[in-house]
Amino acid sequence: MKLPKIGDRVDTKQALELCRYFKLDYLVSRIEADKDAYASWIFDGCSCIHDEFLGLLTGCDHEAITYKCCLPHDLGYAYGQPGNRMERKRVDIKFQSDLITKAHMKEWIASAIFEGIRVGGAEVFGLSFSWAYARK
């Protein structure tokens, strides 16, 4: 599986492959049910903070952060169901857990990042990284 680099555009076809790779079956079903509802998007790694800097700051492998944590989280956000607060919270909790278990980040740092995402990733902001951002 070819993972996107930071700055790469992700189209619906590649997103389906990535969702299958990360075993995000609920997203595969959602996308396949209405492929035309989604636009392509730019993979930005860990939104709002440079991945390499985050790795230096935390002492964690920035590639693990980018590809084992941020990319699956971005897929959840890109194809999240608009208005579904419970789904968004579940995606954020999984991200926090991945930071701890897959990137070996200290729990208190992962908790701080979680809190930032809960505020900054809200759908109401309509940013390039806000909840359900791939929806047309």
Side-chain angles (χ1 to χ4, degrees), residues 77 88 92 116-127 129-131:
Y77 261 58
R88 179 175 170 241
D92 290 342
I117 289 168
R118 294 300 301 154
V119 173
E123 186 174 353
V124 68
F125 294 129
L127 301 170
F129 52 82
S130 297
W131 180 253

Side-chain angles (χ1 to χ4, degrees), residues 5-136:
K5 293 183 173 125
I6 293 174
D8 284 356
R9 182 165 294 282
V10 177
D11 63 18
T12 305
K13 180 182 176 188
Q14 184 180 16
L16 278 168
E17 292 172 9
L18 290 166
C19 288
R20 287 185 184 103
Y21 176 78
F22 288 111
K23 298 181 180 10
L24 300 170
D25 298 332
Y26 75 103
L27 293 179
V28 170
S29 297
R30 181 176 294 156
I31 296 166
E32 285 181 335
D34 192 5
K35 291 178 187 173
D36 294 333
Y38 303 100
S40 62
W41 49 277
I42 304 293
F43 177 54
D44 66 356
C46 295
S47 306
C48 296
I49 188 165
H50 195 278
D51 296 32
E52 288 183 24
F53 177 72
L54 185 57
L56 287 172
L57 183 69
T58 62
C60 300
D61 175 15
H62 73 89
E63 288 196 11
I65 294 169
T66 302
Y67 294 107
K68 293 182 180 179
C69 307
C70 293
L71 182 53
H73 184 256
D74 283 3
L75 290 164
Y77 261 58
Y79 302 100
Q81 183 180 45
N84 190 330
R85 293 179 183 177
M86 292 303 296
E87 180 184 354
R88 179 175 170 241
K89 188 168 187 178
R90 189 174 61 247
V91 168
D92 290 342
I93 289 169
K94 175 75 168 102
F95 179 60
Q96 180 183 19
S97 174
D98 286 349
L99 288 171
I100 295 165
T101 61
K102 295 179 179 176
H104 309 290
M105 189 174 286
K106 291 182 178 167
E107 192 171 325
W108 70 269
I109 298 172
S111 294
I113 292 170
F114 171 84
E115 293 300 330
I117 289 168
R118 294 300 301 154
V119 173
E123 186 174 353
V124 68
F125 294 129
L127 301 170
S128 64
F129 52 82
S130 297
W131 180 253
Y133 64 81
R135 180 137 329 238
K136 288 183 182 174

